[in-house]
Amino acid sequence: MRVKFGLNLLTETTTWRRSVRLETLIRLRWFAVIGQTAAILSVFWGLDSSLPIEWCLIAVGASAWLNVSLRLRYPANHRLDAPEAGASLAWDILQLAFLLFLTGGLENPFAFLLLAPVLISATSLPPRMTLIIGFLAIVCASFVALVHLPLPWEWRDDLRLPTLYLVGVWAALVLCISFIGIYAWQVAEESRQFTEALAATERVLAREQHLSQLDGLAAAAAHELGTPLATIALVTKELARVLPKDGPVGEDMALLGDQVKRCRDILAKLKSLSGGDAPFDTMPLAQLVEEVVQPHRFFDVRIDVDLPANREGEPALQRNPAVLYGLGNIVENAVDFARSAVKLTARWDERDVTVTVADDGPGFPSDIIDRIGEPYLTQRSKERGRRAKKDPLRDQPGEEPSGMGLGVFIAKTLLQRSGARITFRNRPAPETGAVVEVVWPRAAFTERPADRLGATLPAGAPAGQA
């Protein structure tokens, strides 16, 4: 229940479209207009070169006109979707290619500015649009390499660079467009995924914090309602003494007395929810372990809990939703992949508190064991996993569950923020199965979660806000 509830929150952070703010592209294009104008005028007047300056200034003026038109048409905070942003970047490539055609083609050292629109697309737009932008840049580079006006040289009007050199420049430009585009997209994609997953973690933690406070709120409400209910009970008792016990009035007074008693029982149950004087109850490690494993005992997997026989010095945890959610997710994964049994071992000493979860399943794949805990890393398939439940992160109903790798990331992040160190490994051969070891310093384990939560949630986000 806890895990499914958290996953529903993740859909809110994963259903978004990549877009580019119009103001960003307009500012970059103004920089290009200023730089192109300065370069053209410097070469024409400073170096006294015979450039086709009229056509060059027309090309630069067209970009300036486009900027002014976009500014008048759209508000400053308008965001362009992928096709609109792609069309804007395509214009920049075509305009720069026309300038290169007028000024020597690939002989012009500014030809490498064709990389700029590809880089912007790789960091801001989907891969398909980046491929289109990159392909357009390569086509334009190939065209100006073959067809262009000669670049005027100061000492020779008919200087021609060797063909082999120009081919090398073209190959270098194509390789740079391909490599830098892929590299920038990969870095930006990893950053986007981490940001999404971290936002999902914060949402889950805030909602779990809110839920953990409901029992305390219920107890407080029951306490406040106790006084008026006691008054009602007293008045009912006094009226029952003076009114006749027979007839409709007597029956109504008896019914009223029964309902008052029922209300008292309900309030007593509400008061018992908190189990203490504060919303964050103190729970021994054994109680924590039992609360974590209890929801998973209904599957055909045996869960063994190993606790020390001597409970002297057993650490007590202030009820922490981050710890409950994180350990619960690890236990759920162990149950999913176990063949027959999961063993949860809890140990403590003066320095550390250790909880180890081990299963007898296939274990962690060797190719991802060093990367476990990264967002969107998953090896779950329809053949693996015990629960035949639909993943809330899937787009279409009826598809096989596959997972998006956020569960372990969220569990690891929440546990680390509670002060824990987490280790993932496999059982030594010939045994099979995965082992997850969570170790807290004893001081961090007993720390109040409200103190740590204030340092982990974003500024301005209340702990109980969903």
Side-chain angles (χ1 to χ4, degrees):
M1 186 71 174
R2 182 187 302 272
V3 174
K4 183 181 293 187
F5 184 69
L7 288 175
N8 288 334
L9 291 175
L10 303 184
T11 58
E12 301 177 10
T13 63
T14 54
T15 55
W16 63 285
R17 297 186 306 168
R18 297 175 189 169
S19 59
V20 182
R21 201 161 64 101
L22 177 63
E23 181 68 19
T24 301
L25 295 183
I26 289 179
R27 288 181 179 179
L28 292 175
R29 189 173 291 115
W30 278 127
F31 289 147
V33 167
I34 295 173
Q36 291 170 356
T37 302
I40 291 170
L41 296 181
S42 298
V43 172
F44 184 76
W45 286 333
L47 300 180
D48 196 20
S49 298
S50 56
L51 291 175
I53 189 170
E54 297 84 0
W55 286 104
C56 291
L57 292 180
I58 288 174
V60 176
S63 284
W65 172 84
L66 177 62
N67 262 5
V68 174
S69 300
L70 292 175
R71 169 64 69 203
L72 295 176
R73 180 177 176 82
Y74 298 105
N77 60 350
H78 179 71
R79 300 192 73 86
L80 301 174
D81 58 20
E84 292 173 337
S88 179
L89 294 175
W91 163 263
D92 294 330
I93 292 176
L94 294 174
Q95 187 258 6
L96 180 58
F98 182 68
L99 286 177
L100 293 176
F101 164 77
L102 297 174
T103 56
L106 295 188
E107 297 177 6
N108 190 327
F110 290 102
F112 279 90
L113 288 177
L114 288 171
L115 289 171
V118 179
L119 183 61
I120 295 173
S121 177
T123 56
S124 306
L125 300 180
R128 180 179 300 178
M129 186 57 63
T130 301
L131 288 175
I132 295 175
I133 297 298
F135 179 74
L136 178 62
I138 292 175
V139 169
C140 290
S142 303
F143 175 80
V144 298
L146 300 174
V147 182
H148 58 268
L149 299 181
L151 183 67
W153 297 89
E154 181 180 0
W155 61 93
R156 289 187 61 180
D157 293 335
D158 58 347
L159 177 64
R160 294 291 181 268
L161 295 177
T163 302
L164 183 61
Y165 173 79
L166 294 178
V167 171
V169 172
W170 176 85
L173 184 59
V174 171
L175 290 176
C176 286
I177 290 174
S178 303
F179 174 77
I180 294 180
I182 295 174
Y183 178 80
W185 177 84
Q186 183 67 29
V187 172
E189 184 67 15
E190 290 180 357
S191 177
R192 278 192 291 262
Q193 290 180 353
F194 187 82
T195 301
E196 288 180 43
L198 193 58
T201 303
E202 301 290 3
R203 286 173 176 264
V204 170
L205 180 57
R207 180 61 63 88
E208 291 289 320
Q209 182 77 18
H210 177 69
L211 289 179
S212 69
Q213 293 175 337
L214 290 181
D215 53 3
L217 295 176
H223 178 74
E224 294 296 329
L225 291 173
T227 300
L229 184 62
T231 303
I232 295 173
L234 178 62
V235 173
T236 301
K237 185 177 180 181
E238 294 296 328
L239 289 175
R241 290 179 179 177
V242 299
L243 293 176
K245 295 182 173 53
D246 299 329
V249 175
E251 293 178 359
D252 290 343
M253 293 306 301
L255 177 61
L256 184 59
D258 292 339
Q259 294 304 312
V260 169
K261 183 178 179 181
R262 182 181 178 188
C263 289
R264 282 181 169 176
D265 293 338
I266 294 174
L267 292 183
K269 291 180 180 179
L270 291 177
K271 289 182 179 180
S272 66
L273 288 177
S274 66
D277 297 331
F280 294 100
D281 303 337
T282 300
M283 51 193 316
L285 180 59
Q287 180 183 345
L288 167 67
V289 169
E290 184 59 31
E291 186 167 336
V292 167
V293 303
Q294 182 60 33
H296 309 287
R297 292 189 182 276
F298 303 100
F299 300 93
D300 56 344
V301 172
R302 188 180 74 256
I303 301 181
D304 299 323
V305 177
D306 182 10
L307 294 169
N310 183 5
R311 301 288 184 84
E312 183 179 356
E314 179 178 2
L317 170 74
Q318 294 287 336
R319 181 177 292 272
N320 189 332
V323 174
L324 293 172
Y325 185 93
L327 284 180
N329 188 280
I330 292 174
V331 173
E332 181 191 22
N333 284 337
V335 172
D336 276 353
F337 292 96
R339 293 189 176 93
S340 61
V342 171
K343 184 176 182 180
L344 193 149
T345 304
R347 294 289 185 269
W348 63 85
D349 55 31
E350 295 181 356
R351 296 179 53 189
D352 297 325
V353 178
T354 304
V355 175
T356 304
V357 181
D359 62 68
D360 59 354
F364 297 118
S366 58
D367 57 331
I368 69 167
I369 191 169
D370 294 332
R371 298 164 50 213
I372 293 176
E374 295 181 6
Y376 301 97
L377 177 67
T378 180
Q379 286 289 318
R380 190 185 298 270
S381 64
K382 63 182 180 180
E383 292 83 13
R384 301 183 63 186
R386 184 170 306 276
R387 301 166 192 250
K389 63 182 180 182
K390 179 182 178 293
D391 192 335
L393 296 175
R394 299 288 295 186
D395 293 330
Q396 300 297 331
E399 293 181 345
E400 294 294 343
S402 62
M404 293 183 68
L406 277 178
V408 176
F409 171 82
I410 291 177
K412 182 178 180 180
T413 302
L414 293 180
L415 290 173
Q416 286 178 336
R417 290 187 175 190
S418 71
R421 304 186 308 273
I422 307 175
T423 304
F424 300 90
R425 65 178 187 272
N426 287 324
R427 285 183 170 181
E431 297 179 333
T432 61
V435 179
V436 181
E437 185 178 69
V438 185
V439 181
W440 289 270
R442 185 147 182 158
F445 185 80
T446 56
E447 181 181 4
R448 289 181 60 88
D451 300 335
R452 186 177 296 274
L453 184 64
T456 59
L457 286 178
Q465 181 177 350

